[in-house]
Amino acid sequence: MAEVIINGPEGRLEVRYHDVKNHSAPIALVLHAHPEDGGNMNDKVTHTLYKTFVAEGFKTVRFNFRGVGKSEGKFSHGEGELSDAVSVLEWVQSFNLDATSFWVAGSSFGAWIAMQLLMRRPELEGFIAVSPPAHTYDFTFLAPCPVSGLMIHGDQDKASATQAITDLAAKLSLQRHIHVSKALIQGADRFFNTKIDYVMVATQQYLAYAMENGRLKGIIPTRFKATG
């Protein structure tokens, strides 16, 4: 895993990047939770998503939004953080010209940013959104949602209402050729505490499903063995 400092829109951005020898391997960009709630690239959910994509053969990158860790700048309530995500995606693309697929994943606030990124970057082919804040943030920009993906949330998460996520997934799935799957983890709160392994399992299973349906390229099929 390489620790890198790159140039972002408001100064330096602190990045962690995992490379693989397979030049055509897909790329995954992982975005962390709200900076003002303790979100950073090393928080439990973000790191679990990162480890899962790494284990499944992706070239994987995570980073700290502006004002977090060694990243420069100040929190800007979403607009600047989206620009940060674009910068990191373009950075990793610049030296991975043979990558066959691009995915984005995010936790809570990071899931909201990830889904905005889908609307800006047509090369993104799938998403994993953990605890998307569907009842507190505006997701109407997904009109239409450009790609299928997975939403993971816990039934004890007070900050991310189950019904709001269910309604959002159902609404997006009404669009032609788009299906948003849901994984509801029983007994899990916002931080998934003792349930964090279920986030990994749900992600593995969805990636296996995507590969089987031709939505994921560049990885040897035997790598995908969902557990649990």
Side-chain angles (χ1 to χ4, degrees):
M1 176 183 67
E3 300 181 6
V4 184
I5 298 293
I6 70 170
N7 292 323
E10 290 295 318
R12 300 182 304 175
L13 290 173
E14 184 181 10
V15 174
R16 298 292 183 275
Y17 172 63
H18 177 85
D19 200 4
V20 298
K21 293 181 180 179
N22 178 6
H23 295 299
S24 64
I27 291 173
L29 172 64
V30 183
L31 309 179
H32 68 72
H34 202 297
E36 295 185 341
D37 291 335
N40 62 79
M41 69 175 175
N42 295 315
D43 68 48
K44 184 183 296 184
V45 177
T46 303
H47 195 245
T48 295
L49 288 169
Y50 179 86
K51 288 193 302 181
T52 304
F53 279 105
V54 167
E56 301 305 334
F58 282 71
K59 295 172 180 282
T60 312
V61 59
R62 73 188 196 272
F63 71 99
N64 278 327
F65 286 126
R66 57 185 61 195
V68 179
K70 297 178 182 177
S71 292
E72 296 179 330
K74 295 181 179 180
F75 178 65
S76 70
H77 303 280
E79 183 177 352
E81 288 72 24
L82 178 57
S83 295
D84 293 342
V86 170
S87 293
V88 175
L89 179 61
E90 290 180 344
W91 169 78
V92 75
Q93 287 176 323
S94 69
F95 54 89
N96 284 293
L97 301 179
D98 296 326
T100 52
S101 299
F102 297 91
W103 284 60
V104 64
S107 171
S108 190
F109 172 81
W112 181 59
I113 299 296
M115 297 186 80
Q116 291 183 65
L117 191 63
L118 294 175
M119 302 301 294
R120 287 196 175 195
R121 307 298 298 208
E123 68 269 34
L124 292 170
E125 299 177 29
F127 69 87
I128 307 291
V130 180
S131 302
H135 73 307
T136 54
Y137 281 75
D138 184 8
F139 281 80
T140 58
F141 57 83
L142 293 168
C145 182
V147 298
S148 298
L150 171 68
M151 294 182 179
I152 304 171
H153 59 109
D155 68 344
Q156 301 301 310
D157 182 0
K158 305 303 182 184
S160 184
T162 296
Q163 190 58 53
I165 293 174
T166 299
D167 291 346
L168 176 61
K171 178 181 179 180
L172 298 179
S173 294
L174 291 174
Q175 301 171 64
R176 188 177 183 184
H177 305 310
I178 298 298
H179 180 71
V180 177
S181 302
K182 292 191 296 90
L184 178 63
I185 300 177
Q186 300 294 329
D189 62 11
R190 180 182 179 187
F191 303 103
F192 293 89
N193 292 318
T194 62
K195 304 287 185 176
I196 193 65
D197 287 348
Y198 289 87
V199 173
M200 177 177 288
V201 169
T203 302
Q204 288 176 324
Q205 291 177 335
Y206 187 77
L207 293 175
Y209 167 79
M211 190 193 67
E212 290 168 0
N213 287 273
R215 291 180 44 230
L216 182 55
K217 312 175 190 69
I219 295 180
I220 300 172
T222 54
R223 291 190 65 86
F224 286 95
K225 294 182 180 179
T227 60

